[in-house]
Amino acid sequence: MARMGNFGPVVFETSSSRVRNWERISETYRARFAVHEVVDGCPVRQYLGEGLAEASITVRLNRAFCDPEAEIAELKSLVNGKAYPLVVGEDVLGEFVLEEANITRERSTNRGKILSAEVELKLGAV
């Protein structure tokens, strides 16, 4: 089993019996600024400090490697306001909450069973 990382209880891994890994993962870091208006002059920007980090994880699910409905239900259950560690490889990126889970059902059977889907997870640092 090759473990790629995890977001709380969800482990991203590849093994002979299961494939749950991300297709893309991105991180965003920001600075915070205040803008002060100046009479007869340009506004002045003041650095306030670091902003909260954000992360986005795109997971592709395929019935050949997993049960998409069960995976989607597990990922949706994490939209609960709880903070979990985000680990990529051996790097702990910090504590994050799952703010949004966008699910795109790409293909399904004639009875509505999902054959493939893409889930985008939007995380916010706490």
Side-chain angles (χ1 to χ4, degrees), residues 5-123:
N6 65 284
F7 174 60
V10 175
V11 177
F12 298 104
E13 64 186 350
T14 303
S15 69
S16 59
S17 62
R18 180 181 196 170
V19 175
R20 180 201 273 164
N21 55 18
W22 57 74
E23 187 169 86
R24 288 182 304 280
I25 184 167
S26 63
E27 305 163 58
T28 303
Y29 301 93
R30 290 188 174 87
R32 293 181 303 123
F33 293 92
V35 177
H36 304 283
E37 296 296 328
V38 177
V39 175
D40 292 331
C42 290
V44 176
R45 186 178 299 267
Q46 178 185 9
Y47 176 72
L48 299 175
E50 291 181 21
L52 292 172
E54 296 175 347
S56 176
I57 302 171
T58 302
V59 180
R60 184 166 301 282
L61 304 171
N62 189 301
R63 184 158 301 281
F65 305 110
C66 67
D67 177 355
E69 288 88 359
E71 298 286 334
I72 288 170
E74 184 176 3
L75 293 170
K76 282 172 43 177
S77 75
L78 297 177
V79 184
N80 58 20
K82 293 181 184 174
Y84 299 102
L86 176 59
V87 180
V88 177
E90 295 183 13
D91 297 330
V92 179
L93 301 182
E95 294 276 318
F96 288 81
V97 294
L98 179 54
E99 295 178 340
E100 211 175 287
N102 297 311
I103 300 155
T104 304
R105 290 167 171 82
E106 297 174 330
R107 291 185 18 217
S108 62
T109 67
N110 60 354
R111 296 188 181 247
K113 283 282 205 188
I114 298 171
L115 293 174
S116 65
E118 181 179 276
V119 181
E120 183 180 5
L121 307 173
K122 296 191 179 198
L123 312 174

